[in-house]
Amino acid sequence: MVQSVLDGTSREPAAPTTVRSVMSRPAVAVTPDTDFSTMVAALTATRRGILPVVAPDGTVAGVVAASDLLAAYAAPDQGPPSILAGALMTAPAVSVTQDQGIVQALAVLDRASLHHLPVVDDQGRLVGLLGPHDLLEALRREDDALRDQALAVALAPGSGVAPGALRVDCERGRLVLAGRTRTRSDAAALCLAVAGIEGLVGLVDRLRWETDDTAVASTEDQEVRDEAPSGH
């Protein structure tokens, strides 16, 4: 549980989105002895960009991409290509596990310069596919979840926020907090609380306040020092 610095209430941090929650399934796959025509039909039907090639135990042995099929088709051989999936596939396959976070999966795609990945369980068996649309949807969900958490913190009792003046936006994990609070201290406390939300990449503070209570405190401190007896 996370303690709010605004009102003392407890709130649960949102769990990071995992590959399991956004991957496409069932995943259409082929075996190493699948022929060329069947691979073309399967890839055309799924429109996913890759075909995982699985061993008899369901583990991913490799992948055949659309570009592999096109290259085989363009080869200067006579007649239809006779190559099988086992000979055409790229192995070992780059994959992600279903329990990995979306940010980790995105990093794997970026490092490997790929667009689609097989998703495997902890035994290496195929359970789904992950593509760009799946990732974009997941990132949108995470932004919405971060925005909802920030709103919950900002509108908590005692936050000092004027609800009608509040605006919270989030894009790619970067949150913009705008609006008006009762005091400058309230604004500082709100930023501190929102900055502690798990998964937040960055925070832009555009808050304004009605009263600068920090300036009043500084003036009072100065008056106390002025009135204090000299140390001579």
Side-chain angles (χ1 to χ4, degrees):
M1 302 288 282
V2 177
Q3 195 76 11
S4 169
V5 299
L6 294 177
D7 62 357
T9 59
S10 297
R11 55 186 173 85
E12 285 283 357
T17 305
T18 61
V19 170
R20 182 199 301 265
S21 66
V22 297
M23 67 185 184
S24 297
R25 49 185 159 187
V28 175
V30 295
T31 59
D33 58 355
T34 299
D35 62 58
F36 185 85
S37 296
T38 303
M39 287 187 283
V40 171
L43 200 54
T44 303
T46 60
R47 298 183 179 275
R48 297 297 296 178
I50 63 167
L51 275 177
V53 182
V54 297
D57 62 356
T59 58
V60 178
V63 295
V64 173
S67 57
D68 298 325
L69 295 173
L70 291 171
Y73 192 85
D77 296 333
Q78 291 186 349
S82 58
I83 191 168
L84 301 180
L88 192 60
M89 69 182 185
T90 299
V94 178
S95 63
V96 290
T97 65
Q98 59 186 344
D99 294 321
Q100 280 185 275
I102 287 300
V103 174
Q104 293 175 298
L106 190 59
V108 173
L109 277 169
D110 185 57
R111 285 196 304 268
S113 299
L114 298 172
H115 297 99
H116 294 83
L117 291 173
V119 182
V120 299
D121 62 15
D122 54 4
Q123 302 298 316
R125 294 170 300 203
L126 182 69
V127 292
L129 286 176
L130 187 68
H133 289 92
D134 303 318
L135 285 168
L136 287 172
E137 174 62 18
L139 293 172
R140 184 193 65 79
R141 285 191 211 171
E142 289 208 336
D143 282 343
D144 288 348
L146 290 171
R147 179 178 180 276
D148 288 346
Q149 286 188 79
L151 279 170
V153 172
L155 297 178
S159 67
V161 174
L166 181 65
R167 179 179 174 182
V168 181
D169 296 307
C170 190
E171 184 176 346
R172 294 190 297 175
R174 293 173 173 82
L175 193 133
V176 178
L177 195 60
R180 188 175 69 256
T181 60
R182 184 180 62 251
T183 65
R184 187 171 185 173
S185 294
D186 287 334
L190 175 57
C191 285
L192 181 62
V194 171
I197 294 175
E198 185 177 354
L200 201 65
V201 174
L203 174 62
V204 177
D205 172 15
R206 293 180 181 167
L207 291 170
R208 298 294 180 267
W209 47 85
E210 296 172 357
T211 303
D212 187 352
D213 54 339
T214 61
V216 172
S218 297
T219 301
E220 291 176 349
D221 289 344
Q222 183 63 48
E223 290 175 351
V224 170
R225 285 194 294 271
D226 292 343
E227 295 173 1
S230 171
H232 296 299

